[in-house]
Amino acid sequence: RDYDLFRHVFENCCQEGLVNVYVMEEFIRGASPYLKRALLGPYLPSSSGRELNLEQILELIPEEWKINADPNKEEEQQQQQQQQQEEQQHYEEQMGSQLEQSDEIQKEEPSTDDGNSSSDKNEMEEEPKPQDH
């Protein structure tokens, strides 16, 4: 049953020109040695099929098998992930900086006590004034 599934999916990828590193990696990982030999026989670098080098196989298979595959997709995904991580780090740095500024302002407020009565202090606590950043 797995044999038929792997064969069907891989053959469809070949026919549609969608074989790329990902497809080949999954096929080699999941297909039986017999199926690998049956479908990739002339393109396998070794007779044992145990040491399969994906790059070599991808270079040896027909161009039609990979003509519609996007070779840059993996690289683009890695770049997107790196960009998202950098944006997250930048955001966290900004938030940390704003929190530090807020803490500094809160520390300064008690020291600006000018001797107002306690009722004035309560009014100030109830209605905080907007702060300029």
Side-chain angles (χ1 to χ4, degrees), residues 81-121:
Q81 288 175 347
Q82 183 177 0
Q83 183 178 1
Q84 288 172 348
Q85 288 172 349
E86 289 171 359
E87 289 172 358
Q88 179 69 23
Q89 184 178 7
H90 180 70
Y91 173 77
E92 289 172 358
E93 288 172 357
Q94 284 183 328
M95 292 304 294
S97 175
Q98 288 177 358
L99 288 173
E100 288 174 11
Q101 290 175 356
S102 175
D103 288 345
E104 289 174 11
I105 291 171
Q106 288 178 358
K107 289 178 184 176
E108 292 174 5
E109 285 180 359
S111 65
T112 59
D113 186 10
D114 57 358
N116 290 337
S117 68
S118 62
S119 63
D120 290 341
K121 287 181 184 177

Side-chain angles (χ1 to χ4, degrees), residues 10 13-14 17-28 54 57-58 61 65-74:
F10 187 74
C13 287
C14 293
L18 298 174
V19 177
N20 61 12
V21 172
Y22 175 76
V23 171
M24 188 63 71
E25 193 173 62
E26 292 299 311
F27 176 74
I28 289 173
L54 290 177
I57 295 171
L58 286 169
I61 63 174
W65 289 13
K66 52 191 175 180
I67 197 164
N68 296 320
D70 185 1
N72 298 320
K73 188 172 186 175
E74 185 176 323

Side-chain angles (χ1 to χ4, degrees), residues 12 21 38 125-126 132:
N12 280 345
V21 172
E125 288 176 13
E126 291 173 11
D132 294 332

